[in-house]
Amino acid sequence: MSGDRGRPVPPNLDDRRWADLVEEATELIGHYAPQWTDRSPGDPGIALVELFAWLVEGLIYRLNQVPEKNYVAFLNLLGITRLPATPARTLLTFTAQTGQTALVPAGTRVQTMGSESQAPVVFQTEAELLALSAGLSMIVRYDAPPAAAATAADVTNTAAGYELRVPDGGTGYLLLGFDPAFTQPAERLELYAEPDQAATGETATVSWVFSAAGTDPANWPALTVERDTTHGLTQGGQVRLKLPATPQWAAVDPAGWPFPPAGPSPEPGRARRWVGLKLRNEKEPDDPARDALVEVRHLLPSTVSATTAPTAGRDAPEVLGTAGRAPRQVFELRNRPVYRQPGLSPYGHVKVMVDDEVWVLAEERAEGRDKAVRLDPVTGEVIFGDVGAVPPQGASITAVYRHVAAGAVGNVRPGTVTTLAEGVPGIVSVSNPVPGAGGADEEPIEEAKTRAPLLLRTRDRAITVEDYEFLARQVPGVRIARCLAPRAQDKDGPGGRWLKGDPWTFASISRAPGHVNLIVVPDLGLADPQPKPPVSLVQDVIAALDPRREVTALLQVHVPRYLPVEVTAELRIFKRAIDMQLAGGLAAEKERLKERIAKFLHPVHGGPGGRGWQVGQSLYLPDMYQAVQPDGEIGYLADLRMRPVQTPPYHPAGEAWNNDVHRPFRLPDTHGPQVRVTDYELICFSGVCEVTGVEE
C-alpha cells in the first residue's frame, strides 16, 4: 500500500462494499426464510436489505477504522516512518578500444535494455575507473609451501570465489593472466577486489607482484600500490597498481608451472602477462603453528561498483522553491528517499544551497551554525527554522543529492546491464559480471506497525540480545540476525578439557561474560545454498551497533556456522496422473521433489512457511514431509529420511566446526526424525539428495 511521502497510512481492514453486503444478506434468505421467494429489486424486503446494507457500509468504514487510524496517527506523531527503499548494487566491467585506455568518470550511468512493459534500470558508478582493452584469459592459484614442492591450479572458471590457505612460512598467489595481445599496457591497473574472509593471522601480509623474467612467481618483483580502498583485502573496494614498462612486465608461459598431471593444464606457447595477489605467512619462532587464510569473492580488472542511486541535480541543481516569510519553511525534494550511503557520513552527498551558498545539514541547533537545515531522508523534506535560521525572503533554494531510483527491481541477472546511458569516449562495451543484489522496496505498512514497538523499546541503544538482533536487521542487506548470550559450562568436560563454570568456546566463539556475539546472514538468492555476509556487510553491522552498545560490551560479528543436511526419499507416482498429464513422468517428478527439498532447506528462503530458518532452529521430519510432499492427485512419499553431514565447513584455523571440540554434542551417524543444532548453527542443504521412485 502506498503512503504519503513514506508515512504509514490507515489500511482498509474490511473491504466489503454495499453490493457485497446485499449479496451476503440475499444468500442467507434461503436459510432463514425459505418461503421468501420474490427477490427482485421491487420487493419491499429487498429494499430493506439494500437500506440496511447502506447503513452497515457506513458503520464498517467508521467503526473498524478507528483503532488502526489512531495507531497509524500515533506512529506519524512519533516520526516513525516506513523504512525506505534500498538501492541494488552490482559490479560493472568496462572494456576500452583495442590497445587503448579510457577514463570512466565517477557517476557514469549504465542501464539495462528495458522493454515495453518495464523501464530500464539505471546504475551509477561509485568511483572513477581507468578501463583497459585487455581482459583476463586465465586465473591460477599458485602455492609455495615452506618444505614441499610448489603446486599450481587453474581456477579460471571457479564461480564460488578463490581461497588461499598458506601454512607457516609459506606463500600463496592468485595470478591474473592478461591476454597476450595486450602489448601496450597502461600506466596503471585498477582492480575491484572483495574478500569473503579477510586475511587471518597476525603474521599474514598481502602484497602484489608482476611477472618478470623467469617462470617462478616466487622471484617476481613487487608492484607499487597507488591506492587501496580495500585496506589490505579487509573489505571490498578498488586497488590501483602502478604498472611497469613493457620490457619489465614480461610475458610468461604458464605451461612451465607445476600443474597436477591428472588435472587440466594450459597449452604451451600461450604466454601471458601476469599480476599476482601474494599472501605471505611469516611465522615467528615462538608463535604456535597456524595457517593464514584469505577468501576472495571477486578479483576483477577494469571493474567498479555501481548502485541504483543516481544523482539528482548533477547537471544543474534541482530547484526546490523560493524562501518566504514564515519562521518555519518546508521544501520537498523531487525524488525520495534520499540515498543513505555507507560510512560515517551517510548523507554527505546532499548539498542544500541558498542562493548557491551551501547550508550544512544538522539535527540540533549549534552555536554559530545559523546556516543549518534539517533533512528528512524518508519523506524528502528540507526544513528551515528547526535547527537554524530561515533563509532571506526571495532566496532561491536548490539541492544536489542522490536518491534511490530502483529497489528490488534492481536485482538484475548477470550480463543484463549493457547499455551506456551517456557516452564515454573510448569505451566499446560494458557488462555486469555479477547479479544485482541488496535492492529492496519500501517497507510494507504491516511490517512498520510490527517494528514500531521494538523501535520504541530499544530507543536506539543495544542492551539485550533482542536489541542487538533488532538493530542488526535494520542494516540494509541483513536478513537473519541472532545474538548469543554469555553461556558457561554446566559440568566438567571429559579429560579436564573444561571445568564447570568455564565459558563456552565452541566454534571459536567466546561466550564469556561481557562478550556479545552476533551472527548475521544476508539474502543472496536461492542460487547460494550457504549465504555468507561479505566483509563490507559485517563492517556495516559493526558501524551501526558500535555507538549503540554498552561501553563494557565486546562486540563480535560472525558469519553463520552451517550444518548441512542430506536427504533420502522414496517417491510413488500414480500412472493415472501421468496418463491424465497431471504429472510429467517419474523422472520429472523426482527432479521437482529435489528442488522442493533444496528450497525447504535453504537458510533464507526455506523453513516452515517459507519464512527462512533461524540460527539455532532444529529440523523436524514432519515439517519437511509437509513442505515437500507431492500433490495428492500425483502421488505420495513412501519414505523420507534425513541426517546431518559429518564433513562440515571449516573455520580459519583449519579445524572442523562440528567435531567434539567445536560442538557441545556429537552428530548422529544414522537417519533420524530430527536434526538437532546448537544455538550458533544454521540449517542448510548439503546438495546430496537421493530420490528413488516407481509408478503405480
Side-chain angles (χ1 to χ4, degrees):
M1 181 180 296
S2 61
D4 180 14
R5 300 194 305 275
R7 294 188 177 92
V9 295
N12 193 358
L13 299 180
D14 193 336
D15 59 356
R16 290 181 300 171
R17 295 293 183 263
W18 175 85
D20 301 320
L21 295 169
V22 171
E23 182 181 357
E24 290 180 7
T26 304
E27 290 177 352
L28 294 175
I29 291 176
H31 177 73
Y32 291 102
Q35 68 275 14
W36 184 354
T37 58
D38 186 4
R39 303 178 187 179
S40 64
D43 183 76
I46 295 298
L48 290 175
V49 168
E50 293 177 349
L51 173 62
F52 282 104
W54 175 74
L55 294 173
V56 171
E57 183 185 29
L59 291 175
I60 288 177
Y61 176 77
R62 290 174 175 84
L63 297 180
N64 287 0
Q65 290 289 325
V66 168
E68 292 297 322
K69 186 174 182 179
N70 288 345
Y71 188 91
V72 171
F74 180 64
L75 297 184
N76 287 328
L77 287 174
L78 293 175
I80 299 177
T81 56
R82 289 184 288 166
L83 292 178
T86 56
R89 295 178 175 272
T90 190
L91 300 178
L92 298 178
T93 299
F94 293 84
T95 304
Q97 296 178 358
T98 304
Q100 299 182 12
T101 60
L103 185 65
V104 181
T108 299
R109 296 182 180 180
V110 182
Q111 65 186 32
T112 59
M113 290 294 294
S115 63
E116 294 182 357
S117 59
Q118 184 175 356
V121 180
V122 179
F123 287 83
Q124 178 173 297
T125 59
E126 297 290 299
E128 181 184 271
L129 173 71
L130 181 67
L132 308 180
S133 61
L136 285 177
S137 62
M138 192 175 188
I139 304 177
V140 174
R141 186 182 69 240
Y142 192 95
D143 299 313
T151 58
D154 185 354
V155 294
T156 306
N157 298 320
T158 302
Y162 318 102
E163 177 184 299
L164 287 178
R165 186 182 296 275
V166 180
D168 293 324
T171 307
Y173 301 85
L174 272 179
L175 304 177
L176 310 181
F178 289 88
D179 196 298
F182 187 47
T183 57
Q184 297 178 350
E187 295 181 355
R188 69 176 189 265
L189 171 66
E190 294 195 17
L191 298 163
Y192 180 84
E194 181 179 340
D196 259 338
Q197 169 68 53
T200 60
E202 297 180 356
T203 58
T205 58
V206 175
S207 59
W208 299 84
V209 298
F210 68 95
S211 57
T215 60
D216 189 358
N219 299 324
W220 289 354
L223 276 171
T224 301
V225 179
E226 294 186 344
R227 189 182 69 169
D228 182 10
T229 60
T230 71
H231 303 291
L233 277 183
T234 59
Q235 63 184 26
Q238 301 291 126
V239 178
R240 178 180 296 174
L241 304 172
K242 181 176 178 58
L243 295 178
T246 304
Q248 294 176 275
W249 194 14
V252 174
D253 189 347
W257 293 340
F259 287 90
S265 58
E267 299 178 1
R270 294 196 59 187
R272 297 169 175 83
R273 287 190 172 89
W274 300 86
V275 168
L277 166 66
K278 178 180 179 181
L279 178 65
R280 174 69 178 169
N281 189 9
E282 299 179 357
K283 178 182 179 300
E284 298 293 335
D286 298 332
D287 289 344
R290 175 166 295 183
D291 292 350
L293 172 71
V294 62
E295 296 179 3
V296 182
R297 174 174 296 189
H298 301 301
L299 194 59
L300 302 169
S302 302
T303 302
V304 65
S305 62
T307 65
T308 55
T311 302
R314 182 185 58 170
D315 300 327
E318 180 181 305
V319 178
L320 305 184
T322 303
R325 294 183 176 180
R328 185 179 186 271
Q329 302 180 31
V330 180
F331 299 87
E332 292 186 7
L333 301 176
R334 192 175 305 163
N335 304 281
R336 68 159 186 91
V338 179
Y339 172 48
R340 180 183 176 89
Q341 65 185 4
L344 299 177
S345 181
Y347 300 108
H349 57 85
V350 180
K351 294 182 179 179
V352 178
M353 293 164 284
V354 178
D355 284 338
D356 297 330
E357 182 183 3
V358 178
W359 284 36
V360 298
L361 298 181
E363 292 296 329
E364 298 179 357
R365 182 183 297 274
E367 189 70 25
R369 300 185 74 179
D370 287 338
K371 294 182 178 180
V373 61
R374 187 166 68 85
L375 170 69
D376 188 330
V378 178
T379 63
E381 293 177 339
V382 176
I383 306 170
F384 292 92
D386 280 357
V387 296
V390 294
Q393 184 179 0
S396 176
I397 312 300
T398 58
V400 178
Y401 59 97
R402 297 183 65 181
H403 63 97
V404 181
V409 73
N411 298 330
V412 297
R413 293 176 296 177
T416 56
V417 187
T418 57
T419 305
L420 286 168
E422 52 197 9
V424 180
I427 295 297
V428 296
S429 67
V430 62
S431 183
N432 59 314
V434 301
D441 295 328
E442 192 173 34
E443 182 184 31
I445 179 65
E446 292 299 327
E447 294 185 11
K449 288 160 53 182
T450 304
R451 178 175 56 88
L454 297 175
L455 183 62
L456 294 175
R457 186 182 67 183
T458 59
R459 296 186 180 274
D460 209 29
R461 86 287 182 267
I463 297 178
T464 66
V465 293
E466 291 82 5
D467 295 342
Y468 281 97
E469 292 172 355
F470 172 74
L471 294 174
R473 285 193 294 266
Q474 308 313 304
V475 178
V478 176
R479 181 65 179 271
I480 300 172
R482 173 67 186 272
C483 185
L484 305 177
R487 188 166 182 176
Q489 301 289 349
D490 56 1
K491 60 182 179 180
D492 295 343
R497 186 177 298 159
W498 61 75
L499 300 177
K500 182 178 180 180
D502 288 346
W504 269 30
T505 57
F506 297 114
S508 298
I509 301 176
S510 176
R511 307 286 288 274
H515 287 65
V516 176
N517 295 283
L518 186 67
I519 300 174
V520 295
V521 184
D523 183 3
L524 303 180
L526 280 170
D528 192 339
Q530 298 184 12
K532 294 191 301 183
V535 175
S536 57
L537 180 58
V538 172
Q539 292 172 337
D540 289 345
V541 173
I542 294 175
L545 293 177
D546 197 54
R548 296 171 171 86
R549 64 174 175 83
E550 292 181 303
V551 177
T552 57
L554 178 60
L555 175 63
Q556 297 288 335
V557 179
H558 302 273
V559 300
R561 273 68 169 170
Y562 285 107
L563 180 62
V565 177
E566 64 180 30
V567 180
T568 302
E570 186 176 346
L571 182 63
R572 296 286 191 271
I573 298 297
F574 300 137
K575 290 183 179 180
R576 65 176 182 271
I578 300 176
D579 296 338
M580 297 174 63
Q581 297 184 350
L582 298 177
L586 180 60
E589 292 302 321
K590 288 167 64 175
E591 290 301 319
R592 291 178 184 175
L593 178 60
K594 291 180 180 179
E595 292 175 359
R596 290 195 295 268
I597 291 173
K599 184 176 181 180
F600 178 74
L601 294 176
H602 193 276
V604 176
H605 298 275
R611 297 182 296 271
W613 296 93
Q614 296 301 316
V615 178
Q617 181 181 1
S618 297
L619 169 64
Y620 297 94
L621 191 61
D623 293 333
M624 178 182 288
Y625 183 89
Q626 184 177 4
V628 305
Q629 64 177 332
D631 188 272
E633 297 181 354
I634 296 176
Y636 62 94
L637 286 174
D639 190 20
L640 182 65
R641 303 182 183 184
M642 61 184 185
R643 71 182 183 93
V645 178
Q646 298 291 340
T647 309
Y650 291 83
H651 68 64
E655 299 170 338
W657 288 123
N658 297 327
N659 58 23
D660 59 342
V661 175
H662 294 279
R663 206 168 190 276
F665 52 83
R666 287 184 176 272
L667 295 172
D669 295 329
T670 58
H671 297 83
Q674 69 170 349
V675 174
R676 180 187 173 196
V677 300
T678 191
D679 61 354
Y680 52 77
E681 289 180 317
L682 184 61
I683 288 291
C684 74
F685 184 44
S686 67
V688 177
C689 181
E690 299 181 3
V691 178
T692 59
V694 295
E695 299 177 6
E696 62 178 33

